[in-house]
Every structure is written in structure tokens, then in C-alpha cells.
Amino acid sequence: MRIWNEEAECQPRAERAEEQTRNLERLVNRVYDDLPYYRTKMDEAGLRPAHIRSLRDLSKLPFTTKEDMRANYPYGLFAVPLCDVVRIHSSSGTTGRPTVVGYTRRDLEIWAEVCARFITAAGVGSDDVAQVSFGYGLFTGAFGLHYGLERVGATVVPASSGNTARQLLVMHDFGVTTLVCTPSYACHLAEAAEQQGLAGKLKLRTGLFGAESWTDQMRQDLEAKLGIAATDNYGLSEVIGPGVAGECLEARNGMHIAEDHFLCEIINPDTLEPVEMGETGELVITTLTKEAVPIIRYRTRDITRLDPEPCACGRTTIKMHRVVGRSDDMLVVRGTNVFPSQVESVLLEFEDTEPHYLIVLRREGHLDTMEVQVEVSDALFSDRMTDLRTLERALLDRLRSVLGIKVALRLVEPQTLARSEGKAKRVLDLRDGGAQS
Amino acid sequence: MTVRQLSVFVENKKGRLADVAETLASARVSIRALSLADDPDYGIVRLVVDQPDNALAVLRANGHTVKESEVIAVGAQDRPGSLARVLRALADADIDVDYMYATLVPGKPDVYVILRTHDNPSAMEALAAAGVPILRAQDVYEA
């Protein structure tokens, strides 16, 4: 199997650590000098750049959270002037304000490079025709994979998201060998292909799946139905987008982290202390090389563990395992991030008391569905049926526009939604492997 | 004058209507008139009762969503054409009827028609001008 950048990916670990240390020192100096946000945070912690001398010193640095990014919306964490920024991406916001990230030309180079690494590790190269079925837009998924695939010389088909019939037509007629999308959308495509009698007529051999967590069962289903090797990759827009880590075909047991660019730690989300290597906790990432929006100790809220064992593929980079949960209440529905607080903010537009609601997630076939059950309070209720229907429509419109996904709505009687220990249960996740919170 | 109507939100689930009726029965509330508006998922039970305050309190205490609104109760003879006269009077005065329901009065050859309009004062004016008897709330509650 090919390795895209043997020098970086198979570098002796001690040598890599030296480079990481140098880059960390440079990063800390830079953000302290250029970004008031980091300088203030470090000053408050009594830290000077000179205090950061080794990778162990990393844990002295303050965390950065999504809230911090939002508070500095839109450009407060940009470390370069906008004339040096050549691209903007952003992620969905919980209450309207998204988090915004920028890329310099060199950031885009690095992004394509790290994507090329996991694309190559999945066995995809210049002989492949790759269909990118992520939505092209502010979301980082499509563009990250797009340029990474071009970098390895694959023939890129930018199909974007939606319109399953057209996706299958393109997949069949263009001789697509590599499918890029969320695992749940891949399952949906696999079923639609079966129904249309396309099973066995497709040239697919590899799936590059990301942007949501999935199970071994889903992987086996996808591999059987589509006749592919299904691989996992990881990334998030605050850090770069896809390309932070990805699986190698040889082991397919954990995702190799592009450690020369992303320094990963696992912390206990309650104590905020680093855990022992191999223990499960929250992933925290520091960007070592990013220019436009360097970020120190970003709390991803993703729960996973690191694996330092040598890998059969020959890469020396450590691996991160599949994300098994969240340390906040974020939900991923069809690859879109959803926070219960978004639903709450919509309901508050309609009534001024604390709304009672329950988000029910189901997997129908292979697609996630989201239903919002809303208790009809006296304020929402009317004796006129037309008023209730108008309310339903208005709520649905607002929910769809704020969440950016299709949702169903059900009006329910008060107190039908369970209240536990004074704190209402907001989410009922009935999907495989779904967590209840 | 208008009559107080209580509307109760009910999900389309077994036993929900029975629950509303039992709640009222437990407080010795008597139902004077009733209608049910239904949707595939939920319904609105509209009630005129003999003790509105008592009913409102006991329904809310049992966790029901209740809305109080003002409706018009008119009396009509139980014979062909009497309802038409009521509705024609409203139509001629350009009054929209949101919904209506009727109930027979025990022991009398009379029907009470409960009307919900978008403009109750104008509706009552039009009805009075057409000679339609508008009932006093107390008469409905104590019927």
C-alpha cells in the first residue's frame, strides 16, 4: 500500500516530537504577540510564551472552546489580515452565530496534503473516480475531500448532496469507484441502488466516510451491499475540516492522526486534566501549523481514545479511535450538528415561558429522522383548529431553517414528556448505538 | 352577552377524552354543550359547562392545556329553517363563523346554537337586529 508522505507519516517518533515542540513554541509566541484573545488568556493564567518549552507544557495552556470562537465572531481569532485569507468556511451555530474559520493559501495547501494522506491510506489514488456527495458550501466536508482527491490525482465528481436518483445515475454512468459522504447517506444510497437493480453493476470499491459516528454493523452492511472497503476519517472545521485523521486499509482499526500538524490530547471532561495514554476522554486539538486561525487546545467535545501501538501499515503516527460520544449535548443528524438549545431558541420565539419539548431520533431504513415533540402550553393553544395548524407550520418552518435539516413536529399534551430529577429529558435517541441524555 | 367556553387540547390517544370527562365528573361539573374538532394527531374539545371556574381549575390541576374563550349562544326552535335564519343574519352582516355546534335543551323544544365568530359584538348586533334570541350565560349554565 502506498503512503502519501512517507517522510512525515513514518518519521521516527522522537524526531517528530522535536519538530512538534519547535512548532508549538513558535505557535505560542505568535498567538501571544498577534492575538489579544490568547494574550489575555495567557496573562490571566500567569503564562508567558517562555514557559512553554516542551510538549508536556502543553497542558499549562488554557483551553479554547466553541463559545470562545463564537464570542470572537466573525474574525476575532484570525491571526492574519483578510487580504492573506483566501477561503472562509464555517460550522452551524447553536443560536444563529456560526463559528467562522479562514484559510491562507498555505493552510489550503496543508489541508489538501492531510486529506491526501488519509485518502491514500484508504487505497484511493489516480486510478479512481471519486464522487463527493457532501454538500458544497460553508461546510468543510466537500471542499476538504475535493482538493485532497485532486491532490492524489483522482478524478473528482463534485456531485454535492441530495437527489439520490441523480447520485446513482452519476455513480453508475461515470464508473465511480470511490464514494465520499456520511455513512448514513451511503446506507441510503446502497438501499436505493439495490431497489433499482444496480447492485453488482457499480464499480465502487472504496468508501471514504465521515462527519458522523457509525457502528461496525453499519460498516459491515455497507461493505456487503456496495462491495467496498468502507473507511472512516475525522476532522472538524474549527481545526481544519476533514484530514485530522483517517484509517489505513491495512489495519482499519483507528485513524492515523496527522501529528505534524495537529497535536492531540485526551482530557477528562470533568476535571479537565489529561488522562493516561489509551484512556477514553475528550479529544483536545492544537493546530501546529495553521496560519489564518491557529487554535490552542480546542475542546472538540468528542469522546474517544488514542492508540500509540505500532501499526501494520508502517506509519508511526498515533491513532485515534472512533468517536463514541460527546461531552456536551450535541447531536449529529444526517451529518448535521444539532444542539437541543437550537430547538429551545425556536420555541422561545413562540412562547415566553420555558418550553417543554423532546427530540426523538430514529433511524428509518438507514436514514436518521428527527421529531420534535412540543408540549402545547396555554400560551400556544387556541380553540381554533386553523390557529393550531398555522402554529405547526410556523414552528416547522423555523425549526427547519434554524437546524438546516428536515424535522417532523408533533404537538403533545403537557406532562406527557418525562421530567426526571427536575431536569427535563430533552433527547430520546432510538438509533443504533445512540446515546440518551 | 357571551358565554364562557373552555377548550381542551387532547392528543389522539386512547382514553384521553374519557380522562377529560372523568376529570369534570369528579368535580361534579355538568356539560351543557360539547364539540370535538379533530386532526389526525390531536383534537380540541370545546365545552360549555355549568361551572366554568370550577371546571377550569380542575382541568388545569389535572395537567390539561385549557383555553377560555367567549362564544355566543343563541336559541332556536327545533324546526326546519331556524338555523338558516341565524346563519343568514350573520352572512348578511359579513361575519365569519369560526365554528359552531348545537345542543338540545332537555325538556324544551329548543336548540342552543353555540357560535364562535371573529367579531362577537358585531355578530350579536346582527343577530339581535334579525330577532334571533341571544341567551344569557346564566341561562345556559343553569339550563
Side-chain angles (χ1 to χ4, degrees):
Chain A
M1 270 300 160
R2 266 203 72 194
I3 292 175
W4 177 255
N5 184 341
E6 218 170 309
E7 199 187 322
E9 295 177 79
C10 303
Q11 187 179 26
R13 283 184 178 176
E15 203 178 300
R16 181 183 295 128
E18 273 173 40
E19 259 181 44
Q20 286 176 321
T21 309
R22 276 199 302 279
N23 278 328
L24 178 65
E25 283 175 6
R26 193 172 304 142
L27 168 77
V28 170
N29 273 305
R30 199 167 145 244
V31 297
Y32 189 82
D33 288 345
D34 296 349
L35 287 169
Y37 162 79
Y38 283 108
R39 182 200 300 250
T40 309
K41 271 204 151 180
M42 285 176 62
D43 284 346
E44 279 169 10
L47 277 176
R48 290 281 174 281
H51 293 143
I52 308 303
R53 288 262 161 263
S54 76
L55 295 179
R56 271 192 308 279
D57 294 333
L58 181 65
S59 60
K60 294 177 183 166
L61 288 163
F63 293 107
T64 306
T65 63
K66 199 175 179 77
E67 290 69 37
D68 293 326
M69 295 195 83
R70 207 170 292 131
N72 287 282
Y73 175 87
Y75 298 143
L77 293 182
F78 280 35
V80 298
L82 272 190
C83 60
D84 292 332
V85 173
V86 295
R87 178 96 64 79
I88 299 278
H89 278 288
S90 93
S91 73
S92 59
T94 57
T95 48
R97 265 191 181 185
T99 52
V100 178
V101 286
Y103 302 75
T104 63
R105 204 169 293 284
R106 182 164 169 266
D107 289 337
L108 290 184
E109 279 292 312
I110 288 174
W111 192 12
E113 154 75 20
V114 291
C115 285
R117 289 187 195 172
F118 81 76
I119 289 165
T120 305
V124 174
S126 55
D127 294 334
D128 283 288
V129 179
Q131 180 166 347
V132 180
S133 302
F134 281 134
Y136 279 73
L138 286 172
F139 171 60
T140 50
F143 281 95
L145 267 296
H146 182 103
Y147 288 105
L149 285 160
E150 283 190 357
R151 180 66 57 94
V152 303
T155 309
V156 181
V157 183
S160 201
S161 56
N163 198 341
T164 300
R166 194 180 164 76
Q167 298 277 359
L168 289 177
L169 178 100
V170 165
M171 196 182 292
H172 178 263
D173 295 359
F174 294 10
V176 167
T177 62
T178 304
L179 176 61
V180 179
C181 60
T182 61
S184 60
Y185 191 59
C187 287
H188 178 67
L189 285 172
E191 273 185 2
E194 231 168 30
Q195 277 162 16
Q196 295 186 19
L198 287 174
K201 294 184 187 157
L202 298 171
K203 290 192 176 156
L204 281 184
R205 39 180 215 95
T206 314
L208 297 168
F209 301 131
E212 69 183 11
S213 56
W214 46 321
T215 59
D216 280 327
Q217 182 59 47
M218 277 171 89
R219 191 199 300 252
Q220 284 159 19
D221 275 3
L222 279 171
E223 298 198 332
K225 281 185 179 151
L226 291 173
I228 57 170
T231 63
D232 200 1
N233 65 77
Y234 177 84
L236 64 169
S237 68
E238 291 83 354
V239 169
I240 197 160
V244 173
E247 280 180 330
C248 61
L249 212 49
E250 290 88 342
R252 283 206 286 161
N253 178 25
M255 297 175 275
H256 288 278
I257 296 167
E259 283 188 278
D260 45 338
H261 299 289
F262 310 108
L263 202 49
C264 292
E265 317 160 71
I266 302 286
I267 61 160
N268 176 325
D270 299 322
T271 64
L272 304 182
E273 293 299 324
V275 302
E276 294 291 315
M277 175 54 87
E279 275 180 32
T280 298
E282 181 183 326
L283 177 66
V284 171
I285 303 178
T286 299
T287 63
L288 290 172
T289 52
K290 261 182 93 193
E291 292 181 333
V293 187
I295 194 158
I296 289 185
R297 300 194 86 198
Y298 184 69
R299 290 191 59 185
T300 66
R301 303 285 180 175
D302 285 327
I303 303 292
T304 183
R305 67 189 159 89
L306 298 180
D307 177 0
E309 290 304 308
C311 187
C313 70
R315 289 174 182 81
T316 56
T317 44
I318 59 168
K319 296 190 279 192
M320 63 174 273
H321 275 265
R322 173 183 295 155
V323 171
V324 294
R326 295 277 304 175
S327 67
D328 62 6
D329 55 358
M330 188 180 90
L331 306 165
V332 181
V333 184
R334 297 192 189 191
T336 301
N337 299 348
V338 172
F339 289 88
S341 56
Q342 288 174 291
V343 172
E344 193 153 329
S345 71
V346 168
L347 295 178
L348 277 168
E349 295 170 13
F350 291 82
E351 52 182 329
D352 46 18
T353 52
E354 188 201 355
H356 290 294
Y357 62 92
L358 179 69
I359 295 167
V360 183
L361 299 171
R362 298 187 181 88
R363 187 160 284 143
E364 279 167 18
H366 284 290
L367 275 192
D368 293 346
T369 64
M370 174 168 163
E371 178 183 77
V372 180
Q373 298 182 356
V374 181
E375 284 191 359
V376 178
S377 62
D378 288 354
L380 293 177
F381 185 46
S382 166
D383 58 314
R384 285 186 251 226
M385 195 53 99
T386 48
D387 291 346
L388 288 184
R389 295 217 176 103
T390 305
L391 170 75
E392 275 188 296
R393 267 198 305 277
L395 275 170
L396 263 180
D397 283 352
R398 285 296 296 145
L399 284 170
R400 283 178 188 167
S401 107
V402 168
L403 302 177
I405 53 167
K406 219 172 113 182
V407 295
L409 176 76
R410 196 148 75 83
L411 300 179
V412 299
E413 287 176 35
Q415 293 181 356
T416 38
L417 305 179
R419 318 242 198 282
S420 56
E421 294 146 20
K423 194 176 178 296
K425 183 180 168 67
R426 295 305 191 197
V427 179
L428 180 61
D429 195 341
L430 301 172
R431 300 174 295 184
D432 308 335
Q436 301 195 3
S437 63
Chain B
M1 79 180 285
T2 55
V3 173
R4 295 168 68 190
Q5 170 192 260
L6 304 181
S7 304
V8 186
F9 179 80
V10 283
E11 277 179 72
N12 271 3
K13 284 200 289 202
K14 259 193 191 55
R16 299 312 296 143
L17 281 172
D19 189 59
V20 172
E22 280 161 10
T23 300
L24 294 173
S26 70
R28 317 279 317 147
V29 169
S30 195
I31 299 169
R32 290 287 168 253
L34 168 146
S35 87
L36 174 67
D38 66 306
D39 176 272
D41 296 320
Y42 55 83
I44 305 169
V45 185
R46 304 180 186 118
L47 303 153
V48 174
V49 299
D50 61 345
Q51 309 159 55
D53 287 324
N54 192 2
L56 190 62
V58 72
L59 285 167
R60 288 213 166 122
N62 276 273
H64 290 286
T65 297
V66 189
K67 166 142 183 132
E68 183 173 337
S69 35
E70 302 292 311
V71 292
I72 302 168
V74 301
Q77 292 279 293
D78 184 13
R79 63 166 185 246
S82 56
L83 178 63
R85 190 164 69 107
V86 173
L87 295 176
R88 174 54 58 197
L90 293 172
D92 288 348
D94 212 17
I95 308 277
D96 289 331
V97 176
D98 290 327
Y99 55 82
M100 54 176 282
Y101 49 104
T103 188
L104 274 167
V105 185
K108 287 190 200 169
D110 269 352
V111 181
Y112 289 173
V113 179
I114 309 288
L115 293 160
R116 167 77 145 103
T117 70
H118 69 284
D119 180 358
N120 283 342
S122 304
M124 286 192 285
E125 219 169 275
L127 291 166
V132 174
I134 295 168
L135 301 171
R136 294 192 314 138
Q138 215 51 37
D139 293 342
V140 179
Y141 303 153
E142 287 166 9

